Amino acid sequence: MLRLDRQFEELEAKVKILETENQALQAQVNPLKREVERLKQQQERETAKRAQTPTFNEEAKAIVQFLAQGHQRPTLQELASQMNAHPTRVEHFLNELCRTGHAQYHEGIGGLVPPTYSLSPLGQAYAVEHGFV
């Protein structure tokens, strides 16, 4: 009987040691679980952001790059001339940039002053992120 009591006490002591170790491990694991969750959420946000970023072709990128260089609100004709492209083609890409919020259309004044274009804040961010400025 004495032997069983001693074995029982040894087992109880081992259980206490294991419970203490478990608590210490839980204290280490819980912050790591929170960090993993934070990183998962960050990755999801970055993936969603990449999915929202439009993919422009080279001509649209060239327009963004030209507008990012600080040229004072060029007209469609000035952009077409600069790009050596037909105005209708340039207008197509400008419309796409305006539709996605990357460029802004500025109304002209009657027939005296033609409309002009500039980058929006989103377009400026795109230009910076893609190394255009």
Side-chain angles (χ1 to χ4, degrees):
M1 192 72 167
L2 208 48
R3 183 172 177 229
L4 286 176
D5 286 340
R6 195 177 81 230
Q7 285 179 335
F8 183 75
E9 288 173 1
E10 287 174 359
L11 288 174
E12 280 184 325
K14 285 183 181 180
V15 165
K16 287 182 182 181
I17 290 171
L18 290 174
E19 286 174 345
T20 303
E21 287 178 3
N22 185 33
Q23 287 176 345
L25 290 173
Q26 286 296 324
Q28 292 175 357
V29 167
N30 288 335
L32 294 174
K33 285 181 178 179
R34 287 191 298 271
E35 180 67 9
V36 166
E37 186 59 33
R38 185 190 68 77
L39 291 172
K40 282 182 183 178
Q41 290 173 355
Q42 180 181 351
Q43 183 180 23
E44 288 171 3
R45 285 191 303 271
E46 289 173 2
T47 300
K49 182 180 177 184
R50 277 193 297 274
Q52 293 173 351
T53 302
T55 303
F56 295 122
N57 71 6
E58 294 306 312
E59 290 167 289
K61 288 179 183 178
I63 292 171
V64 171
Q65 188 170 13
F66 182 79
L67 293 173
Q69 299 302 318
H71 302 284
Q72 296 292 54
R73 292 187 180 176
T75 65
L76 173 62
Q77 293 300 326
E78 291 168 341
L79 277 167
S81 174
Q82 180 66 31
M83 296 179 64
N84 293 321
H86 193 277
T88 303
R89 187 168 184 81
V90 174
E91 184 176 29
H92 167 76
F93 294 113
L94 280 168
N95 288 338
E96 180 183 357
L97 290 167
C98 289
R99 183 182 48 77
T100 60
H102 290 77
Q104 295 174 328
Y105 173 84
H106 304 280
E107 194 71 45
I109 302 173
L112 303 174
V113 178
T116 58
Y117 296 87
S118 67
L119 287 181
S120 67
L122 184 62
Q124 291 169 351
Y126 182 90
V128 170
E129 290 171 5
H130 289 80
F132 296 150
V133 290

